[in-house]
C-alpha cells in the first residue's frame, strides 16, 4: 500500500510542476522560440495558458516562457500575407 501511495504522490507532483502551455500547447514552432528583432511586433501570448499557469502553479510560467510555448504559434499564411504587403 505504501508503494502505491508514493507512486500517486510522484504522479501528482509531476502534474503540478508541469506547465499548461508546454504540456497542452502542442509542438513549439521556430517562430515561438525566436525573439522578435527590433522593430518587429511582439509575439502574442496565449491568455488561457497564462491564466491557468497563474492559478494552478505559477512557477510553470517560467517553463512556458523559457520554452516559448506560452506564445501563440504564428500562422504560415499570415506570415506570407505580411511579406506580400511589405513588398508592395
Amino acid at each position: 500500500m505504501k508503494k502505491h501511495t508514493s507512486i500517486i504522490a510522484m504522479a501528482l507532483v509531476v502534474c503540478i510542476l508541469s506547465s499548461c502551455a508546454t504540456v497542452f500547447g502542442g509542438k513549439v514552432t521556430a517562430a515561438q522560440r525566436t525573439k522578435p528583432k527590433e522593430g518587429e511586433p511582439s509575439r502574442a501570448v496565449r491568455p488561457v495558458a497564462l491564466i491557468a499557469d497563474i492559478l494552478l502553479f505559477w512557477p510553470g510560467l517560467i517553463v512556458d516562457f523559457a520554452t516559448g510555448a506560452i506564445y501563440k504559434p504564428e500562422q504560415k499564411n499570415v506570415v506570407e500575407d505580411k511579406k506580400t504587403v511589405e513588398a508592395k
Side-chain angles (χ1 to χ4, degrees), residues 16 19 50 52-65:
I16 290 173
S19 52
L50 179 67
D53 280 341
I54 291 170
L55 293 176
L56 297 176
F57 190 67
W58 63 267
L61 280 173
I62 298 168
V63 176
D64 282 344
F65 278 105

Side-chain angles (χ1 to χ4, degrees), residues 58-85:
W58 63 267
L61 280 173
I62 298 168
V63 176
D64 282 344
F65 278 105
T67 60
I70 195 82
Y71 300 110
K72 290 182 180 179
E74 197 168 301
Q75 301 295 330
K76 188 174 183 179
N77 58 358
V78 173
V79 174
E80 291 173 2
D81 288 343
K82 286 181 186 177
K83 288 180 182 177
T84 57
V85 169

Side-chain angles (χ1 to χ4, degrees), residues 29-38 40-43 65 68 71:
T29 63
Q32 289 172 290
R33 278 187 246 122
T34 310
K35 280 182 128 178
K37 296 177 183 172
E38 192 172 321
E40 290 183 353
S42 62
R43 299 173 283 181
F65 278 105
Y71 300 110

Side-chain angles (χ1 to χ4, degrees), residues 9-48:
M10 284 185 358
L12 183 63
V13 168
V14 168
C15 289
I16 290 173
L17 293 178
S18 64
S19 52
C20 293
T22 302
V23 174
F24 301 113
K27 186 177 179 183
V28 178
T29 63
Q32 289 172 290
R33 278 187 246 122
T34 310
K35 280 182 128 178
K37 296 177 183 172
E38 192 172 321
E40 290 183 353
S42 62
R43 299 173 283 181
V45 175
R46 296 177 181 185
V48 175

